Amino acid sequence: TKEQRFAAKTLNFGITYGMKVKKFVDMMNAENLKEGRDKINVKQGSEIINRYRETYKVAGKWLNDVGLVALREGSVKTRYGRKRFFQPVSTKLDPDAFRGQIEAIKRQGANMPIQGTNADITKLAMITIHDELKDYGYRGNIVLQVHDEIVVLAHKTQVDDIKSIVVESMTAAGQRLLPTIPVEVDSYVSEYWKK
């Protein structure tokens, strides 16, 4: 259902970003209010998050482990090999600020390989799309990139061919960096961009 999809998306992205129970409850209740559904309380939100973590233990362990690598080694990297470095935690901070800095590094360190790999895939696809359009004389140009979306302006007589180039380029870029994971690309043709 639409409600389940919103909750799943909120959990998947939120937990990756280090979202706490209160933020999850606030986001769910904002959507519930908009859709005319009952609010959830902190206890219900906590139960949902705990069920998620129990169901996806391997993902939770991976996020925790990568966060600890960022803290311990001072860097993490994407599947492409791009690195993000972190400043060492200052021992001159008060205890609350010290803990906050540790949690921020762990949260950002766990998130970077996911977000960064997605960005790498998108950039690799954009390079291929650009080259294919130019090399073969297609009347199309990349006009916008939003997160993992690539918007291409194409002449109406070449839309189907250009759409195939976009899908094949994005799929190949994903499979290059995530060879064991099935890569699926959604695409559509429209007279205007829609989210």
Side-chain angles (χ1 to χ4, degrees):
T1 67
K2 186 177 176 185
E3 180 182 8
Q4 290 170 321
R5 184 177 189 281
F6 180 83
K9 224 174 152 181
T10 303
L11 277 170
N12 282 319
F13 289 114
I15 286 175
T16 302
Y17 296 128
M19 177 180 61
K20 303 293 183 215
V21 174
K22 183 181 179 336
K23 178 71 173 176
F24 174 67
V25 169
D26 289 346
M27 290 178 74
M28 289 300 297
N29 285 339
E31 181 70 8
N32 288 346
L33 181 66
K34 190 169 80 176
E35 297 294 327
R37 293 187 295 259
D38 292 338
K39 287 178 151 188
I40 65 169
N41 58 40
V42 173
K43 183 180 180 213
Q44 291 168 311
S46 184
E47 288 169 357
I48 293 168
I49 289 173
N50 288 339
R51 247 184 312 157
Y52 179 93
R53 287 192 171 130
E54 187 63 30
T55 302
Y56 300 104
K57 287 180 187 174
V58 174
K61 181 180 179 339
W62 183 86
L63 287 168
N64 186 62
D65 291 350
V66 174
L68 290 173
V69 166
L71 185 63
R72 200 173 38 249
E73 297 177 16
S75 70
V76 290
K77 63 183 180 176
T78 67
R79 294 288 300 231
Y80 190 67
R82 198 164 41 89
K83 279 190 173 183
R84 177 177 177 183
F85 295 92
F86 298 91
Q87 293 293 322
V89 179
S90 173
T91 56
K92 296 178 182 177
L93 298 171
D94 67 76
D96 287 340
F98 182 78
R99 277 191 299 277
Q101 199 172 52
I102 287 173
E103 289 306 311
I105 290 171
K106 286 167 52 179
R107 185 176 58 253
Q108 293 167 18
N111 178 258
M112 185 276 182
I114 298 166
Q115 289 265 86
T117 297
N118 181 58
D120 292 343
I121 290 168
T122 304
K123 290 171 186 159
L124 289 169
M126 289 174 71
I127 291 167
T128 303
I129 293 165
H130 176 269
D131 291 348
E132 293 275 321
L133 294 176
K134 295 303 167 228
D135 291 350
Y136 297 101
Y138 283 105
R139 294 168 66 184
N141 291 298
I142 296 171
V143 294
L144 185 64
Q145 179 255 322
V146 180
H147 304 294
D148 60 351
E149 293 183 38
I150 301 171
V151 180
V152 178
L153 181 62
H155 191 273
K156 62 184 174 184
T157 61
Q158 298 177 336
V159 163
D160 292 333
D161 289 342
I162 291 173
K163 179 181 175 185
S164 293
I165 289 170
V166 171
V167 170
E168 289 168 15
S169 299
M170 292 181 81
T171 303
Q175 289 177 331
R176 177 177 169 187
L177 296 188
L178 305 169
T180 61
I181 298 171
V183 176
E184 193 174 305
V185 175
D186 294 326
S187 65
Y188 64 88
V189 175
S190 178
E191 293 195 14
Y192 57 90
W193 177 69
K194 55 187 175 188
K195 185 72 177 148

